[in-house]
Amino acid sequence: MTHVLDVIGGMFPDAHCELHHSNPFELTIAVLLSAQCTDETVNKVTLHLFQKYRTPADYLAVPLDELENDIKRIGLYRNKALFIQKLCRMLIDDYGGDVPREHAELTKLPGVGRKTANVVVSNAFGVPAIAVDTHVERVSKRLGFAKPDDSVLEVEHKLMKLVPRELWTETHHRLIFFGRYHCKAQNPQCPVCPLLDICKEGKKRMKPAPNRKAKS
DNA sequence: AACTCGGGGCA
DNA sequence: TGCCCAGAGTT
């Protein structure tokens, strides 16, 4: 596992959170918005959004329609606008206007599940965590760190056992970059992958079965 | 466990 | 054009 992380680190020396933000609150909003869409799209929206809305009260000061319109370029925008206003209401009512630092409290917020909470605690509060999104899940299963039918939670636990705690967050970032830019869902770059010799899935893909459709 | 939300990216 | 996606909530 350590060897794999080193190799990926060589491929992506500057792997980091790609969401634009300047504090825990903005990060929470950005991660919530990023569900099922790319960080690049989120950044285009938050560039303007974070100029207009700076505090939880700012998000509550406008009608829901207006907030929806402000994030309209992002998929699932109606759900997310509603989540944001409910979340801001909870921050003000229950947390003194600040984003809670505890994982268990974060997951109580609407629109914040396990993955989002892990990204917030690790990336905003420096708490080691491995956020398992579909990239991390896919890569972990292809490389054999988890089994094909493992749940997201099981993948997270197995990764945590394979890596020392102080490297959890870095592991998360590296696996994300590897999955997003190299070990992609549709067209994994197996022919030029430095991990091919230790990757079962990669070897399987390099010599496809005759009855399988092979893209070329 | 399956369904829903939804515009963007990519073939 | 059609398919899939840096998830989470509801049933």
Side-chain angles (χ1 to χ4, degrees), chain A residues 57-96:
Chain A
D58 292 339
Y59 288 97
L60 293 170
V62 300
L64 183 56
D65 313 33
E66 184 173 340
L67 181 55
E68 286 181 356
N69 194 56
D70 287 336
I71 64 172
K72 194 119 174 54
R73 297 190 56 191
I74 293 183
L76 316 181
Y77 63 92
R78 274 189 284 260
N79 287 338
K80 291 172 181 177
L82 191 55
F83 284 152
I84 288 173
Q85 285 200 332
K86 286 185 176 177
L87 179 151
C88 289
R89 172 49 59 198
M90 283 184 64
L91 290 186
I92 292 172
D93 291 347
D94 302 338
Y95 299 100

Coordinates of all heavy atoms in Angstrom, one line a residue, chain A residues 57-96:
Chain A
A57 N -26.3 33.6 7.8 CA -27.4 34.5 7.7 C -27.6 35.1 6.3 O -28.8 35.3 5.9 CB -27.2 35.7 8.7
D58 N -26.6 35.2 5.5 CA -26.7 35.7 4.2 C -27.5 34.7 3.3 O -28.3 35.2 2.5 CB -25.3 35.9 3.5 CG -24.5 37.0 4.2 OD1 -25.2 37.9 4.8 OD2 -23.3 37.0 4.0
Y59 N -27.3 33.4 3.5 CA -28.1 32.4 2.7 C -29.6 32.4 3.1 O -30.4 32.0 2.3 CB -27.5 31.0 2.9 CG -26.2 30.8 2.2 CD1 -25.0 31.0 2.9 CD2 -26.1 30.5 0.9 CE1 -23.7 30.8 2.3 CE2 -24.9 30.3 0.2 CZ -23.7 30.4 1.0 OH -22.5 30.3 0.3
L60 N -29.8 32.8 4.4 CA -31.2 32.8 4.9 C -31.9 34.1 4.5 O -33.1 34.2 4.7 CB -31.2 32.6 6.4 CG -30.8 31.2 6.8 CD1 -30.6 31.2 8.3 CD2 -31.8 30.1 6.3
A61 N -31.2 35.1 4.1 CA -31.7 36.4 3.8 C -32.4 36.5 2.5 O -33.1 37.5 2.2 CB -30.7 37.5 4.0
V62 N -32.3 35.5 1.6 CA -32.9 35.5 0.3 C -33.9 34.5 0.2 O -33.9 33.5 0.9 CB -31.8 35.3 -0.8 CG1 -30.8 36.4 -0.8 CG2 -31.2 33.9 -0.7
P63 N -34.9 34.6 -0.7 CA -35.9 33.6 -1.0 C -35.2 32.4 -1.6 O -34.2 32.5 -2.2 CB -36.9 34.2 -2.0 CG -36.6 35.7 -2.0 CD -35.2 35.8 -1.5
L64 N -35.8 31.2 -1.3 CA -35.2 29.9 -1.8 C -35.0 30.0 -3.3 O -34.0 29.5 -3.9 CB -36.2 28.8 -1.5 CG -35.7 27.4 -1.8 CD1 -34.3 27.1 -1.3 CD2 -36.7 26.3 -1.4
D65 N -36.0 30.6 -4.1 CA -35.8 30.7 -5.5 C -34.6 31.4 -5.9 O -33.9 31.0 -6.9 CB -37.0 31.5 -6.1 CG -38.3 31.0 -5.6 OD1 -38.4 30.6 -4.4 OD2 -39.3 31.1 -6.3
E66 N -34.2 32.4 -5.2 CA -33.1 33.2 -5.6 C -31.8 32.4 -5.3 O -30.9 32.4 -6.2 CB -33.0 34.5 -4.7 CG -31.8 35.4 -5.1 CD -31.9 36.8 -4.4 OE1 -33.0 37.1 -3.9 OE2 -30.9 37.4 -4.3
L67 N -31.7 31.7 -4.2 CA -30.6 30.8 -4.0 C -30.5 29.7 -5.0 O -29.4 29.4 -5.6 CB -30.6 30.2 -2.6 CG -29.4 29.3 -2.2 CD1 -28.1 30.1 -2.4 CD2 -29.6 28.8 -0.8
E68 N -31.6 29.1 -5.4 CA -31.7 28.1 -6.4 C -31.1 28.7 -7.7 O -30.3 28.0 -8.4 CB -33.1 27.6 -6.7 CG -33.7 26.7 -5.6 CD -35.1 26.3 -5.9 OE1 -35.7 26.8 -7.0 OE2 -35.6 25.5 -5.2
N69 N -31.5 29.8 -8.1 CA -31.0 30.5 -9.3 C -29.5 30.7 -9.3 O -28.8 30.6 -10.3 CB -31.8 31.8 -9.5 CG -31.6 32.3 -11.0 OD1 -31.8 31.6 -11.9 ND2 -31.1 33.5 -11.1
D70 N -29.0 31.0 -8.1 CA -27.6 31.3 -7.9 C -26.7 30.1 -8.1 O -25.5 30.2 -8.3 CB -27.3 32.0 -6.6 CG -27.8 33.5 -6.6 OD1 -28.0 34.1 -7.7 OD2 -28.1 34.0 -5.5
I71 N -27.3 28.9 -7.9 CA -26.5 27.7 -8.0 C -27.0 26.8 -9.2 O -26.8 25.6 -9.3 CB -26.5 26.9 -6.7 CG1 -27.9 26.4 -6.4 CG2 -25.9 27.7 -5.6 CD1 -27.9 25.4 -5.2
K72 N -27.7 27.5 -10.1 CA -28.5 26.8 -11.1 C -27.6 25.9 -12.1 O -28.0 25.0 -12.7 CB -29.3 27.8 -12.0 CG -30.3 27.2 -12.8 CD -31.7 27.7 -12.4 CE -32.9 27.3 -13.3 NZ -32.9 25.8 -13.5
R73 N -26.3 26.3 -12.2 CA -25.4 25.6 -13.1 C -25.0 24.2 -12.6 O -24.4 23.5 -13.2 CB -24.2 26.4 -13.4 CG -24.5 27.7 -14.1 CD -23.3 28.4 -14.6 NE -22.5 27.5 -15.5 CZ -21.3 27.7 -15.9 NH1 -20.7 28.8 -15.4 NH2 -20.6 26.9 -16.6
I74 N -25.4 24.0 -11.3 CA -25.0 22.7 -10.7 C -26.2 21.8 -10.7 O -27.3 22.2 -10.4 CB -24.5 23.0 -9.2 CG1 -23.2 23.7 -9.3 CG2 -24.4 21.7 -8.5 CD1 -22.6 24.0 -7.9
G75 N -26.0 20.5 -11.0 CA -27.0 19.5 -10.9 C -27.6 19.3 -9.5 O -26.9 19.6 -8.6
L76 N -28.8 18.9 -9.5 CA -29.5 18.7 -8.2 C -29.6 20.0 -7.4 O -29.7 20.0 -6.2 CB -28.8 17.6 -7.3 CG -28.3 16.4 -8.0 CD1 -27.6 15.5 -7.0 CD2 -29.4 15.6 -8.7
Y77 N -29.7 21.1 -8.1 CA -29.6 22.4 -7.5 C -30.8 22.7 -6.5 O -30.7 23.4 -5.6 CB -29.5 23.5 -8.5 CG -30.7 23.6 -9.4 CD1 -31.7 24.5 -9.1 CD2 -30.8 22.9 -10.6 CE1 -32.8 24.7 -9.9 CE2 -31.9 23.0 -11.4 CZ -32.9 23.9 -11.1 OH -34.0 24.0 -11.9
R78 N -32.0 22.1 -6.8 CA -33.1 22.4 -6.0 C -32.9 21.8 -4.6 O -33.1 22.4 -3.5 CB -34.4 21.9 -6.6 CG -35.0 22.9 -7.5 CD -36.4 22.5 -8.0 NE -36.4 21.5 -9.0 CZ -36.5 21.7 -10.3 NH1 -36.8 23.0 -10.7 NH2 -36.5 20.8 -11.1
N79 N -32.5 20.5 -4.6 CA -32.2 19.8 -3.3 C -31.1 20.6 -2.6 O -31.2 20.8 -1.4 CB -31.6 18.4 -3.6 CG -32.7 17.5 -4.0 OD1 -33.9 17.7 -3.8 ND2 -32.3 16.4 -4.7
K80 N -30.1 21.0 -3.3 CA -28.9 21.5 -2.6 C -29.2 22.9 -2.1 O -28.8 23.3 -1.0 CB -27.7 21.6 -3.6 CG -27.2 20.2 -3.9 CD -26.2 20.3 -5.0 CE -25.7 18.8 -5.3 NZ -24.7 18.8 -6.4
A81 N -30.0 23.7 -2.8 CA -30.4 25.0 -2.2 C -31.2 24.9 -0.9 O -30.9 25.6 0.0 CB -31.2 25.8 -3.3
L82 N -32.1 23.9 -0.9 CA -32.9 23.7 0.3 C -32.0 23.2 1.4 O -32.1 23.7 2.6 CB -34.0 22.6 0.0 CG -35.1 22.5 1.1 CD1 -35.7 23.8 1.4 CD2 -36.1 21.5 0.6
F83 N -31.1 22.2 1.1 CA -30.1 21.8 2.1 C -29.4 22.9 2.7 O -29.2 23.0 3.9 CB -29.1 20.8 1.5 CG -29.7 19.4 1.2 CD1 -29.2 18.6 0.2 CD2 -30.7 18.9 2.0 CE1 -29.7 17.3 0.0 CE2 -31.2 17.6 1.8 CZ -30.7 16.9 0.8
I84 N -28.9 23.8 1.9 CA -28.0 24.9 2.3 C -28.8 25.8 3.3 O -28.3 26.2 4.4 CB -27.5 25.7 1.1 CG1 -26.4 24.9 0.4 CG2 -26.9 27.1 1.6 CD1 -26.0 25.6 -0.9
Q85 N -30.0 26.2 3.0 CA -30.8 27.0 3.9 C -31.1 26.3 5.2 O -31.0 26.9 6.3 CB -32.1 27.5 3.2 CG -31.8 28.6 2.1 CD -33.0 29.4 1.8 OE1 -34.2 28.9 1.9 NE2 -32.8 30.7 1.4
K86 N -31.5 25.1 5.1 CA -31.7 24.3 6.4 C -30.4 24.2 7.2 O -30.5 24.3 8.4 CB -32.3 22.9 6.1 CG -33.7 22.9 5.6 CD -34.2 21.5 5.4 CE -35.6 21.4 5.0 NZ -36.1 20.0 4.8
L87 N -29.3 23.9 6.5 CA -28.0 23.8 7.2 C -27.7 25.1 7.9 O -27.2 25.1 9.0 CB -27.0 23.4 6.1 CG -25.5 23.2 6.6 CD1 -24.9 22.2 5.6 CD2 -24.7 24.5 6.5
C88 N -27.9 26.2 7.2 CA -27.5 27.5 7.8 C -28.4 27.8 9.0 O -27.9 28.4 10.0 CB -27.6 28.6 6.7 SG -26.3 28.6 5.5
R89 N -29.7 27.4 8.9 CA -30.6 27.6 10.0 C -30.1 26.8 11.2 O -30.1 27.3 12.4 CB -32.0 27.2 9.6 CG -33.0 27.1 10.7 CD -33.1 28.4 11.5 NE -33.4 29.6 10.7 CZ -33.2 30.8 11.1 NH1 -32.6 31.0 12.3 NH2 -33.5 31.8 10.4
M90 N -29.6 25.6 11.0 CA -29.1 24.8 12.1 C -27.8 25.3 12.7 O -27.6 25.3 13.9 CB -28.9 23.3 11.6 CG -30.1 22.5 11.5 SD -29.8 20.8 11.1 CE -28.9 20.2 12.5
L91 N -26.9 25.9 11.8 CA -25.7 26.4 12.3 C -26.0 27.6 13.2 O -25.3 27.7 14.3 CB -24.8 26.9 11.1 CG -24.2 25.9 10.2 CD1 -23.3 26.5 9.2 CD2 -23.5 24.8 11.0
I92 N -26.9 28.4 12.9 CA -27.2 29.6 13.7 C -27.9 29.1 15.0 O -27.6 29.6 16.1 CB -28.1 30.6 12.9 CG1 -27.3 31.2 11.8 CG2 -28.7 31.6 13.9 CD1 -28.2 32.0 10.8
D93 N -28.9 28.2 14.8 CA -29.7 27.8 16.0 C -29.0 26.9 17.0 O -29.1 27.0 18.2 CB -31.0 27.1 15.6 CG -32.0 28.1 14.9 OD1 -31.7 29.3 15.0 OD2 -32.9 27.6 14.2
D94 N -28.2 26.0 16.4 CA -27.6 25.0 17.3 C -26.1 25.1 17.5 O -25.5 24.4 18.4 CB -27.9 23.6 16.7 CG -29.4 23.4 16.6 OD1 -30.2 24.0 17.3 OD2 -29.8 22.5 15.7
Y95 N -25.4 25.8 16.6 CA -23.9 25.8 16.7 C -23.3 27.2 16.8 O -22.1 27.4 16.4 CB -23.4 25.0 15.5 CG -23.8 23.6 15.5 CD1 -24.8 23.1 14.7 CD2 -23.2 22.6 16.3 CE1 -25.3 21.8 14.7 CE2 -23.6 21.3 16.3 CZ -24.7 20.9 15.5 OH -25.1 19.6 15.5
G96 N -24.1 28.2 17.2 CA -23.5 29.5 17.3 C -23.0 30.1 16.0 O -22.1 31.0 16.1

